[in-house]
Amino acid sequence: MKIPFLDLQSVNSRFQAELDEAVKSALHSGWYIRGEQCRLFEEEFGNYCGTHYCVGVGNGLDAIRLIFEAYKSLGVMEEGDEVIVPANTYIASILAISQSGLKPVLCEPRLDTYNLDAALIEPLITERTRAILPVHLYGQVADMQGISDIAKKHKLKVVDDAAQAHGAALGGRKVGSLADATAFSFYPSKNLGALGDAGAVTTSDKALADKVRSIANYGSTIRYYNEDKGINSRLDEIQAAVLRVKMKYFEADNVWRQKAARQYGEAIHDEKIALPKVENPESHVFHLFVIRCGNRDELGRYLADKGIQTQVHYPVPPHLQPAYSEWGHLSLPITEKIHREVLSLPISPVITKEEVEYVAGWVNEFGG
């Protein structure tokens, strides 16, 4: 049996007729940037998340960066201010902070959930701290109550990275409405994925939403008049049309991911394998099913020999990347352990129960 890590062709072919029609409609509309499809998607996705505003942008990294650039323009932050961010996140979360002229401050995660450890945040707060950026890594909501309490106490903004958590919820509230502003990526492999790069910002702060929209449009609200030194980051009509089709189905896809994750959890019984800790069923949508193993690389090769494709999210932590060589002296043992041991098993809306059983069986067999 051959099991790909993610078969995007099979994922999208389920909606082929609707996607063809959506793309055709957008193509023949004659309007390709910030038109009716984008407006409708923003309205629908904002309503889904439970926020007053949604701004479609070019990608997830830009979504985070635009939030911080908007806060700077509004006088809430300034160059050199600090943002506390999990040390084990994908580097895009950190790049967005740096590219906004702000300073990332790395905080260790919890080993069991891989999310920001709220108990470690306060010692990192200084007079220059302006925000906390939790990341809902692998699809599980971070400790937003604990993080929000700390932010409120210290008058900080909470900007969350939900690139992997579309549809996850906490206390009945969807991700996208749990922070002052939320950044989404709709990269094709995401739970709600476009057919190219795309992203969005959700918020209930009108001033922030207006400023994000302006900065993403060259810093302009009136054509050829520029209030800010903006960038070009706009959700195009074709991707918006695609997302509107896939929005009708992705909650059911999330349910299937959760069922597959439960099946993995029940079937994998090797004590040397650390399974994902799920704190609340609604709070994890399993963008990825990530296990930990002391001999991760050997397990990955073993599964590859059995026709099972796996991936590592992520092999090198940000503080050990050449791009951030100034952090090379840092010792972040929990983060380093996570990056050394994690292995992502196949999971998707089209994975079958038989495939999950096959993968789990070989994981068990590896451990003897």
Side-chain angles (χ1 to χ4, degrees), residues 37 310 329:
Q37 292 296 327
T310 61
H329 66 285

Side-chain angles (χ1 to χ4, degrees), residues 205-332:
D205 182 337
K206 184 180 187 303
L208 180 68
D210 289 346
K211 187 59 71 171
V212 166
R213 189 178 299 278
S214 170
I215 294 175
N217 188 43
Y218 300 99
S220 173
T221 54
I222 302 173
R223 197 174 188 186
Y224 302 133
Y225 291 84
N226 305 82
E227 302 156 5
D228 293 282
K229 296 174 182 176
I231 63 174
N232 174 12
S233 183
R234 301 170 297 197
L235 177 62
D236 70 67
E237 285 291 280
I238 290 177
Q239 299 304 340
V242 166
L243 288 167
R244 291 188 65 217
V245 170
K246 297 183 74 175
M247 264 197 73
K248 295 185 287 185
Y249 303 101
F250 92 99
E251 278 216 319
D253 284 351
N254 281 348
V255 170
W256 188 257
R257 288 174 180 271
Q258 291 166 332
K259 287 180 178 178
R262 285 196 298 272
Q263 186 184 352
Y264 269 136
E266 293 166 0
I268 296 174
H269 50 70
D270 185 348
E271 294 181 355
K272 295 187 291 297
I273 302 294
L275 294 167
K277 177 181 173 61
V278 181
E279 297 202 306
N280 187 310
E282 70 171 357
S283 72
H284 205 323
V285 291
F286 288 98
H287 171 62
L288 299 170
F289 188 89
V290 180
I291 62 174
R292 279 192 298 107
C293 177
N295 48 349
R296 180 266 312 282
D297 293 337
E298 185 181 345
L299 173 58
R301 289 190 294 269
Y302 177 83
L303 293 177
D305 288 341
K306 308 304 178 184
I308 301 165
Q309 186 180 37
T310 61
Q311 290 192 18
V312 176
H313 297 87
Y314 304 96
V316 182
H319 72 284
L320 297 180
Q321 295 281 3
Y324 285 99
S325 58
E326 65 269 27
W327 288 340
H329 66 285
L330 294 179
S331 174
L332 297 166

Side-chain angles (χ1 to χ4, degrees), residues 36-51:
E36 185 69 0
Q37 292 296 327
C38 183
R39 185 191 69 77
L40 288 170
F41 173 74
E42 290 176 340
E43 180 181 308
E44 292 160 5
F45 192 67
N47 288 339
Y48 173 81
C49 291
T51 57

Side-chain angles (χ1 to χ4, degrees), residues 138 202 261 302:
Y138 307 146
T202 59
Y302 177 83

